[in-house]
Amino acid sequence: MLKKIAAAALVAAAATTAVATPASASAGGCNDRTCIEVDGSGLRVDMIQAHLKSGDAFFGHFHIYGGGIDVNSPTQTWGFSGYKIYPGRDLPNGSVLCVEGWEKTGSGHALRGRPCVEVHF
């Protein structure tokens, strides 16, 4: 009986440790032509990059927002190297970070994708 209790306590401690360890804030993905890359650890976000898929380019701007961040890049020609910001801080658990790629057209701007990632434990 004592062995079963000790084993159960060990399993419970391991489960508690696994839950308390934050997930990495590093993530990324693309939607349409626009991509987002987030680098960090736990809830800390060190860098957010907005860029286009490899080989693509447009004249316009990126909008990066979520978790208390709201930044527009300059309007210029963008490609794969894209635009980076460096928040260097923790974001609220469950924050959703998004990037919008806006291409300047003759009649205004056209959305070229809106990828998002979630920062969470």
Side-chain angles (χ1 to χ4, degrees):
M1 180 72 170
L2 186 56
K3 286 183 183 179
K4 286 183 182 178
I5 293 171
L10 184 59
V11 169
T16 303
T17 302
V19 171
T21 304
S24 173
S26 297
C30 298
N31 174 261
D32 194 7
R33 296 167 58 190
T34 305
C35 301
I36 184 173
E37 302 296 329
V38 178
D39 187 37
S41 177
L43 297 178
R44 182 178 175 83
V45 174
D46 295 315
M47 185 273 302
I48 304 169
Q49 180 184 21
H51 64 89
L52 297 174
K53 290 182 176 180
S54 181
D56 199 356
F58 70 48
F59 182 80
H61 75 278
F62 292 109
H63 182 204
I64 300 172
Y65 61 93
I69 296 169
D70 190 2
V71 177
N72 282 294
S73 74
T75 299
Q76 64 183 52
T77 300
W78 295 102
F80 183 71
S81 62
Y83 179 70
K84 295 179 184 179
I85 63 170
Y86 300 91
R89 63 183 170 93
D90 285 355
L91 298 185
N93 189 31
S95 294
V96 177
L97 299 173
C98 298
V99 166
E100 294 175 340
W102 291 95
E103 184 173 20
K104 191 166 173 84
T105 66
S107 60
H109 289 86
L111 181 62
R112 299 301 184 207
R114 184 184 294 125
C116 298
V117 297
E118 182 180 3
V119 177
H120 61 84
F121 280 113

